[in-house]
Amino acid sequence: MACWRHLFSVITPTYNRAHTLERVYRSLREQSFQDFEWVVVDDGSTDTTRTLIQGWQQEASFPIRYVWQPNQHKKTAFNNGVRHAQGEWLVAIDSDDELDPNALYQMASVWEQIPPAQRNRTVAITGLCARPDGRVVGDMYPRDVMDVSSLDMTFRYHVRGEKFGCLRTDVLRQFPFPEDIPGFVPESLVWRALARAGYVTRFVNQVFRVYHDDGSNLSREGRADGGRHALGLWLLAHDTVAYCLGWFRYQPASFFGAAIRYTRFSLHLRAQRVARPAGRYLNHWASRLLVAVMWPAGAALYLRDRLRAAAARSKHSVAA
């Protein structure tokens, strides 16, 4: 059994975000619960990030550890942070966001309320995000306290929108982000793997994070851009149609949409001459049928993406 130095490790992967990191630091200084460390994983920044962190290390009331790595990707920086974490629970916060002042205290309180017999199968405590004006982002949970898998929360209860919480460090080390896949990899692939392994999350209607949208959210960028993050988005679509059909009856439209995206991004990958990861097939007849039925819609969206990209290139050439 691991011997943890802190209850929480707050992990912040960052790349050239010295201008926003103070927001995270300020929110950590204001935490009402102080049994935590802050691990900043610098993904090869060329700005003043290192100098900034070194200054805070001299004055902070909590330990700050600075981990530098050559520029790779956020998922690699996250995995690196998990390996360095000395806290039992891991809180991953972006370099431009902030925690609610009582976030860590509330998470610790929720953990204490979970019966000891149930704790081994609990992998996460997840609450809500709010905008700076206090408005909750996305949906609230159907009940104030729910112990279900992340797959149930997504497909059975139809809860949408940005959510936030903490995860067990020991379990996360067994489910790292795949570093052999280049570029963007959706976070939900890891959470779904945890759910299929039998872990549940305690969902609570409490705000843990203040969400600042600066327009550079990578997951949203991937959805909006037809081809730029095709591999990561194909992986998510594949996961849905290949491994999640048990939830089809709760939300059929989501699966039809995933089948469309499966074809759309498959065609993008073919056009980009990017090989799909080995071992990811549609082994179930229902998965193959679903993709086949929705193939025309996926192909149509792919053609739309290509036409939009061509129009954008033409407009840029004229402007130049």
Side-chain angles (χ1 to χ4, degrees):
M1 176 178 272
C3 182
W4 305 107
R5 286 183 148 186
H6 309 280
L7 185 58
F8 294 104
S9 287
V10 179
I11 304 293
T12 301
T14 187
Y15 175 70
N16 285 345
R17 304 290 282 179
H19 60 290
T20 62
L21 273 170
E22 186 172 2
R23 184 186 294 156
V24 184
Y25 175 59
R26 185 176 61 247
S27 77
L28 294 177
R29 281 192 320 187
E30 295 172 354
Q31 286 300 301
S32 57
F33 183 92
Q34 287 286 307
D35 184 11
F36 71 91
E37 63 170 352
W38 187 25
V39 182
V40 180
V41 185
D42 187 346
D43 190 28
S45 294
T46 57
D47 62 4
T48 60
T49 294
R50 182 191 295 268
T51 302
L52 201 62
I53 298 300
Q54 288 175 339
W56 292 336
Q57 286 175 324
Q58 302 303 313
E59 66 178 37
S61 60
F62 50 88
I64 301 175
R65 289 195 290 137
Y66 176 78
V67 179
W68 187 91
Q69 66 177 42
N71 182 247
Q72 296 174 68
H73 197 275
K74 180 179 177 180
K75 63 178 182 294
T76 305
F78 179 84
N79 286 345
N80 202 1
V82 174
R83 287 191 291 269
H84 281 83
Q86 297 178 358
E88 182 178 1
W89 287 85
L90 189 139
V91 178
I93 186 164
D94 287 343
S95 53
D96 58 351
D97 285 320
E98 62 184 303
L99 294 175
D100 179 89
N102 292 314
L104 297 182
Y105 173 80
Q106 291 171 339
M107 292 178 194
S109 298
V110 171
W111 175 239
E112 289 299 318
Q113 295 165 12
I114 298 175
Q118 188 179 324
R119 292 182 179 180
N120 279 342
R121 61 191 293 262
T122 301
V123 71
I125 297 166
T126 302
L128 307 172
C129 297
R131 302 189 187 280
D133 62 6
R135 289 179 297 133
V136 170
V137 177
D139 303 326
M140 296 182 68
Y141 304 118
R143 298 188 298 276
D144 285 342
V145 178
M146 298 180 70
D147 293 316
V148 299
S149 75
S150 59
L151 285 167
D152 277 330
M153 190 57 72
T154 297
F155 294 119
R156 185 172 184 177
Y157 297 103
H158 307 184
V159 173
R160 294 289 183 267
E162 195 81 12
K163 301 295 181 277
F164 186 80
C166 58
L167 296 103
R168 278 173 48 193
T169 305
D170 61 337
V171 178
L172 270 181
R173 287 176 176 167
Q174 302 172 45
F175 292 83
F177 280 93
E179 296 184 19
D180 59 324
I181 296 173
F184 167 67
V185 175
E187 294 178 359
S188 52
L189 289 178
V190 173
W191 315 151
R192 288 179 177 191
L194 291 168
R196 285 193 286 267
Y199 290 105
V200 300
T201 295
R202 171 152 290 195
F203 294 95
V204 294
N205 279 323
Q206 299 180 38
V207 172
F208 293 153
R209 171 187 170 203
V210 181
Y211 177 69
H212 294 266
D213 187 355
D214 66 355
S216 63
N217 183 280
L218 183 55
S219 59
R220 186 185 62 245
E221 181 185 0
R223 292 193 296 270
D225 187 326
R228 184 177 177 188
H229 300 298
L231 180 55
L233 296 172
W234 179 84
L235 285 168
L236 184 58
H238 170 269
D239 186 271
T240 302
V241 298
Y243 304 132
C244 300
L245 284 181
W247 286 265
F248 179 90
R249 66 188 185 277
Y250 298 116
Q251 203 173 149
S254 291
F255 289 86
F256 290 127
I260 291 171
R261 292 189 295 276
Y262 180 95
T263 296
R264 175 188 178 190
F265 297 119
S266 290
L267 294 173
H268 275 294
L269 293 175
R270 181 184 302 174
Q272 297 168 8
R273 298 183 180 179
V274 174
R276 295 185 296 191
R280 288 176 167 83
Y281 307 107
L282 297 178
N283 293 322
H284 196 280
W285 67 266
S287 301
R288 295 193 294 270
L289 177 62
L290 183 61
V291 169
V293 168
M294 304 310 296
W295 189 93
L301 284 182
Y302 166 73
L303 291 175
R304 185 198 66 178
D305 293 338
R306 296 298 297 269
L307 290 172
R308 286 181 173 178
R313 286 194 299 270
S314 177
K315 182 177 180 181
H316 182 267
S317 298
V318 172

